[in-house]
Structures are given as structure tokens and as C-alpha cells.
Amino acid sequence: MGIPQLLVHDHEDNVGVVVVENLSAGTEMLCVVTADDSDFRLTAKADIPIGHKVALKPLKAGDTVVKYGEDIGRMVGDADVGEHVHTHNCKTKRW
């Protein structure tokens, strides 16, 4: 299968987490869903640091971000499939 570049914890997640250093735009990532070890491919549309999130589907401002099958925040900007999701376009709902 190869070494995954992106981990997705649950099939309900709409973001995955980059697990390699120096992921650059245009990389076709091997993505693994840890819930059942299934995999898929997705192209990174930006340079994305390790530990940061990637949109698995188009996300619009106001959408709920789901990771680990849980609501982790809301989008305050848009992100297309393969784009970087972080503090510039995603915020916690706690405050």
C-alpha cells in the first residue's frame, strides 16, 4: 500500500490530518481511514504542514468540521477538496 500521507479517523470525518513532513501542493496523497484501514487518494492543493488538516469535501464558511467523528469547530472561510484547513479558515465553537 505504501506510506500514508493523510490519516482519516472515521468515515464521517470531512477533514484528514497530514502525517508527513514537507507535503507539497500537487502531491497525490495516500489517505488511510483508521476505522477500517480502507484507503483512497486525494491531491493536495497547497503545501500543508504535518499535523494540519486537509478538506475531504468542499467546506464553506459556517460548515461544521468533523474529525474523529466529532464536531471540532466551524469553518470561517471556504476550503475545496485537498485544501488546507487550519486557523485561517477554521475556528473552535468554544469561544
Side-chain angles (χ1 to χ4, degrees), residues 11-62:
H11 285 283
E12 299 301 315
D13 292 357
N14 55 20
V15 295
V17 179
V18 173
V19 294
V20 295
E21 295 281 354
N22 303 317
L23 182 72
S24 57
T27 300
E28 184 184 53
M29 300 175 285
L30 172 59
C31 311
V32 173
V33 181
T34 60
D36 62 6
D37 290 328
S38 60
D39 64 87
F40 60 96
R41 299 267 177 186
L42 185 71
T43 300
K45 293 191 176 171
D47 297 344
I48 304 170
I50 190 170
H52 288 218
K53 295 174 288 301
V54 175
L56 302 178
K57 66 178 212 171
L59 298 170
K60 301 292 182 199

Side-chain angles (χ1 to χ4, degrees), residues 14 59-60 62-66 70-75 93:
N14 55 20
L59 298 170
K60 301 292 182 199
D63 286 351
T64 294
V65 179
V66 179
E70 300 288 332
D71 176 342
I72 64 158
R74 69 179 167 78
M75 295 297 291
K93 293 178 181 175

